[in-house]
Coordinates of all heavy atoms in Angstrom, one line a residue:
L9 N -0.9 -32.5 32.8 CA 0.6 -32.6 33.0 C 0.9 -33.8 33.9 O 1.8 -34.5 33.7 CB 1.2 -31.3 33.5 CG 1.2 -30.2 32.4 CD1 1.4 -28.8 33.1 CD2 2.3 -30.4 31.4
A10 N 0.1 -33.8 35.0 CA 0.4 -34.9 36.0 C 0.1 -36.3 35.3 O 0.8 -37.2 35.5 CB -0.5 -34.7 37.2
A11 N -1.1 -36.4 34.6 CA -1.5 -37.6 34.0 C -0.4 -38.1 33.0 O -0.1 -39.3 32.8 CB -2.8 -37.5 33.3
A12 N 0.2 -37.2 32.3 CA 1.3 -37.5 31.3 C 2.5 -38.2 32.0 O 3.3 -38.9 31.4 CB 1.7 -36.3 30.6
R13 N 2.6 -38.0 33.3 CA 3.7 -38.6 34.1 C 3.2 -39.8 35.0 O 3.8 -40.2 35.9 CB 4.4 -37.5 34.9 CG 5.2 -36.6 34.0 CD 5.2 -35.2 34.6 NE 6.0 -34.3 33.8 CZ 5.5 -33.6 32.8 NH1 4.2 -33.7 32.5 NH2 6.3 -32.8 32.1
G14 N 1.9 -40.2 34.7 CA 1.4 -41.3 35.5 C 0.8 -40.9 36.9 O 0.7 -41.8 37.7
L15 N 0.6 -39.7 37.1 CA 0.1 -39.2 38.3 C -1.4 -38.7 38.2 O -1.7 -38.1 37.1 CB 0.9 -38.0 38.9 CG 2.4 -38.2 39.0 CD1 3.1 -36.9 39.3 CD2 2.7 -39.3 40.0
D16 N -2.2 -39.0 39.1 CA -3.7 -38.7 39.0 C -4.1 -37.6 40.0 O -4.1 -37.8 41.2 CB -4.5 -40.0 39.3 CG -5.9 -39.8 39.0 OD1 -6.4 -38.8 38.5 OD2 -6.7 -40.8 39.3
L17 N -4.5 -36.5 39.4 CA -5.0 -35.4 40.2 C -6.5 -35.2 40.1 O -7.1 -34.3 40.6 CB -4.3 -34.0 39.8 CG -2.9 -33.9 40.1 CD1 -2.4 -32.5 39.7 CD2 -2.6 -34.1 41.6
S18 N -7.2 -36.2 39.4 CA -8.6 -36.0 39.1 C -9.5 -36.0 40.4 O -10.5 -35.3 40.4 CB -9.1 -37.1 38.2 OG -8.9 -38.4 38.8
A19 N -9.1 -36.7 41.5 CA -9.9 -36.7 42.7 C -9.6 -35.5 43.6 O -10.2 -35.3 44.6 CB -9.7 -38.0 43.4
H20 N -8.5 -34.7 43.2 CA -8.1 -33.6 44.1 C -9.2 -32.6 44.3 O -9.8 -32.2 43.3 CB -6.8 -32.9 43.6 CG -6.5 -31.7 44.4 ND1 -5.9 -31.7 45.7 CD2 -6.7 -30.4 44.1 CE1 -5.8 -30.5 46.1 NE2 -6.3 -29.7 45.2
R21 N -9.4 -32.1 45.5 CA -10.3 -31.0 45.8 C -9.6 -30.1 46.7 O -9.0 -30.5 47.7 CB -11.7 -31.4 46.4 CG -12.5 -32.3 45.4 CD -12.9 -31.5 44.1 NE -13.7 -32.3 43.2 CZ -13.2 -33.0 42.2 NH1 -11.9 -33.0 42.0 NH2 -14.0 -33.7 41.4
S22 N -9.6 -28.8 46.4 CA -8.9 -27.8 47.2 C -9.4 -27.8 48.7 O -10.5 -28.0 49.0 CB -9.0 -26.4 46.6 OG -10.3 -26.0 46.5
R23 N -8.4 -27.4 49.5 CA -8.8 -27.2 51.0 C -7.9 -26.1 51.5 O -6.8 -25.9 51.1 CB -8.7 -28.4 51.8 CG -7.3 -28.9 52.0 CD -7.3 -30.3 52.7 NE -5.9 -30.6 53.1 CZ -5.4 -30.6 54.3 NH1 -6.1 -30.3 55.3 NH2 -4.1 -31.0 54.5
G24 N -8.4 -25.4 52.5 CA -7.6 -24.4 53.2 C -6.7 -24.9 54.2 O -6.9 -26.0 54.8
L25 N -5.6 -24.1 54.4 CA -4.7 -24.5 55.5 C -5.2 -23.9 56.8 O -5.0 -22.8 57.1 CB -3.3 -24.0 55.2 CG -2.2 -24.3 56.2 CD1 -1.9 -25.9 56.1 CD2 -0.9 -23.5 56.0
D26 N -5.8 -24.8 57.6 CA -6.4 -24.3 58.9 C -5.4 -24.6 60.0 O -4.4 -25.2 59.8 CB -7.8 -24.9 59.1 CG -7.8 -26.4 59.1 OD1 -6.7 -27.0 59.3 OD2 -8.9 -27.0 58.9
E27 N -5.8 -24.3 61.2 CA -5.0 -24.5 62.4 C -4.7 -26.0 62.6 O -3.6 -26.4 62.9 CB -5.7 -24.0 63.7 CG -5.7 -22.5 63.7 CD -6.4 -22.0 65.0 OE1 -6.3 -22.7 66.0 OE2 -6.9 -20.9 65.0
H28 N -5.7 -26.9 62.4 CA -5.5 -28.3 62.6 C -4.4 -28.8 61.5 O -3.5 -29.6 61.9 CB -6.8 -29.1 62.4 CG -6.6 -30.6 62.5 ND1 -6.3 -31.2 63.6 CD2 -6.7 -31.5 61.5 CE1 -6.2 -32.5 63.4 NE2 -6.4 -32.7 62.1
A29 N -4.6 -28.5 60.3 CA -3.7 -28.9 59.2 C -2.3 -28.4 59.5 O -1.3 -29.2 59.3 CB -4.2 -28.4 57.9
T30 N -2.1 -27.2 60.0 CA -0.8 -26.7 60.4 C -0.2 -27.4 61.6 O 1.0 -27.8 61.6 CB -0.9 -25.2 60.7 OG1 -1.5 -24.5 59.6 CG2 0.4 -24.6 61.0
A31 N -1.1 -27.7 62.5 CA -0.6 -28.4 63.7 C -0.1 -29.8 63.5 O 0.9 -30.2 64.1 CB -1.7 -28.4 64.8
I32 N -0.8 -30.5 62.6 CA -0.4 -32.0 62.4 C 0.8 -32.1 61.4 O 1.4 -33.2 61.4 CB -1.6 -32.8 62.0 CG1 -2.1 -32.4 60.6 CG2 -2.7 -32.8 63.0 CD1 -3.1 -33.4 60.0
A33 N 1.1 -31.1 60.7 CA 2.2 -31.2 59.7 C 3.6 -31.2 60.4 O 3.9 -30.3 61.2 CB 2.1 -30.1 58.7
D34 N 4.3 -32.2 60.1 CA 5.7 -32.3 60.5 C 6.6 -31.4 59.7 O 7.6 -30.9 60.1 CB 6.3 -33.7 60.5 CG 5.5 -34.6 61.4 OD1 5.6 -34.4 62.7 OD2 4.9 -35.6 61.0
L35 N 6.1 -31.2 58.4 CA 6.9 -30.4 57.5 C 5.9 -29.7 56.6 O 5.0 -30.3 55.9 CB 7.8 -31.3 56.6 CG 8.6 -30.6 55.5 CD1 9.5 -29.5 56.1 CD2 9.4 -31.6 54.7
L36 N 6.0 -28.3 56.5 CA 5.1 -27.5 55.6 C 6.0 -26.9 54.6 O 7.0 -26.3 54.9 CB 4.5 -26.4 56.4 CG 3.4 -26.8 57.4 CD1 3.4 -25.9 58.6 CD2 2.1 -26.9 56.8
L37 N 5.7 -27.2 53.3 CA 6.5 -26.7 52.2 C 5.7 -25.8 51.3 O 4.7 -26.2 50.7 CB 7.0 -27.9 51.4 CG 8.1 -28.7 52.1 CD1 8.3 -30.0 51.4 CD2 9.4 -27.9 52.3
T38 N 6.0 -24.5 51.3 CA 5.3 -23.5 50.6 C 6.0 -23.3 49.2 O 7.1 -23.7 49.0 CB 5.2 -22.2 51.3 OG1 6.5 -21.6 51.3 CG2 4.7 -22.3 52.7
M39 N 5.2 -22.6 48.4 CA 5.7 -22.3 47.0 C 6.4 -20.9 47.0 O 7.2 -20.6 46.1 CB 4.6 -22.2 46.0 CG 3.9 -23.6 45.9 SD 5.0 -24.9 45.3 CE 4.9 -26.0 46.7
T40 N 6.1 -20.0 48.0 CA 6.7 -18.7 48.1 C 7.1 -18.3 49.5 O 6.6 -18.8 50.5 CB 5.8 -17.6 47.5 OG1 4.7 -17.5 48.4 CG2 5.3 -18.0 46.1
R41 N 8.0 -17.4 49.6 CA 8.4 -16.8 50.9 C 7.2 -16.1 51.6 O 7.0 -16.2 52.8 CB 9.6 -15.8 50.7 CG 9.9 -14.9 51.9 CD 10.3 -15.7 53.2 NE 11.2 -16.7 52.9 CZ 11.4 -17.8 53.7 NH1 10.7 -18.0 54.8 NH2 12.4 -18.7 53.4
E42 N 6.4 -15.5 50.8 CA 5.2 -14.7 51.3 C 4.3 -15.7 52.0 O 3.8 -15.5 53.1 CB 4.5 -14.0 50.2 CG 3.3 -13.2 50.7 CD 2.6 -12.4 49.5 OE1 3.1 -12.4 48.4 OE2 1.6 -11.9 49.8
Q43 N 4.1 -16.9 51.4 CA 3.2 -18.0 52.0 C 3.8 -18.4 53.3 O 3.1 -18.6 54.3 CB 3.0 -19.1 51.0 CG 2.2 -18.7 49.8 CD 2.4 -19.6 48.6 OE1 3.1 -20.6 48.7 NE2 1.7 -19.3 47.5
A44 N 5.1 -18.7 53.3 CA 5.8 -19.2 54.5 C 5.7 -18.1 55.6 O 5.4 -18.5 56.8 CB 7.3 -19.5 54.2
D45 N 5.9 -16.9 55.3 CA 5.8 -15.8 56.3 C 4.4 -15.7 56.8 O 4.2 -15.5 58.0 CB 6.2 -14.5 55.7 CG 7.7 -14.4 55.4 OD1 8.5 -15.3 55.9 OD2 8.2 -13.5 54.7
L46 N 3.4 -15.9 56.0 CA 2.0 -15.8 56.4 C 1.7 -16.9 57.4 O 1.1 -16.7 58.4 CB 1.1 -15.9 55.2 CG -0.5 -15.9 55.5 CD1 -0.8 -14.6 56.2 CD2 -1.3 -16.1 54.2
I47 N 2.2 -18.1 57.1 CA 2.0 -19.3 58.0 C 2.6 -19.0 59.3 O 2.1 -19.2 60.4 CB 2.5 -20.6 57.4 CG1 1.6 -20.9 56.2 CG2 2.5 -21.7 58.4 CD1 2.2 -22.1 55.3
G48 N 3.9 -18.5 59.3 CA 4.6 -18.1 60.5 C 3.9 -17.0 61.3 O 3.9 -17.1 62.5
A49 N 3.2 -16.1 60.6 CA 2.5 -15.0 61.4 C 1.2 -15.6 62.0 O 0.8 -15.1 63.0 CB 2.2 -13.9 60.4
R50 N 0.6 -16.6 61.4 CA -0.6 -17.2 61.9 C -0.4 -18.2 63.0 O -1.3 -18.4 63.9 CB -1.3 -18.0 60.7 CG -2.0 -17.2 59.7 CD -2.6 -18.1 58.7 NE -3.3 -17.4 57.6 CZ -3.8 -18.1 56.6 NH1 -3.7 -19.4 56.4 NH2 -4.4 -17.3 55.6
T51 N 0.8 -18.8 63.1 CA 1.0 -20.0 64.0 C 2.4 -19.8 64.7 O 3.4 -19.8 64.0 CB 1.0 -21.3 63.2 OG1 -0.2 -21.4 62.4 CG2 1.0 -22.5 64.2
N52 N 2.4 -19.7 66.0 CA 3.6 -19.6 66.7 C 4.4 -21.0 66.7 O 3.8 -22.1 66.7 CB 3.3 -19.3 68.2 CG 2.9 -17.9 68.4 OD1 3.2 -17.0 67.7 ND2 2.1 -17.7 69.5

């Protein structure tokens, strides 16, 4: 679906949201409220 729109996801490899990734993000955008709440519970 991405390729049909000229976007390339072939090199993507999954990674977990760890403390460092959370700390350096100026903006975290989740797909669900549950995910946002989980991030909020993990990180003050």
Side-chain angles (χ1 to χ4, degrees):
L9 289 162
R13 287 145 180 94
L15 306 172
D16 186 5
L17 293 180
S18 63
H20 172 78
R21 295 298 178 266
S22 59
R23 70 183 187 110
L25 183 70
D26 58 20
E27 287 181 29
H28 176 71
T30 302
I32 66 170
D34 297 298
L35 179 61
L36 292 150
L37 292 167
T38 69
M39 300 298 117
T40 68
R41 168 59 50 203
E42 184 177 351
Q43 293 158 1
D45 290 346
L46 179 61
I47 294 168
R50 287 180 180 174
T51 309
N52 289 331

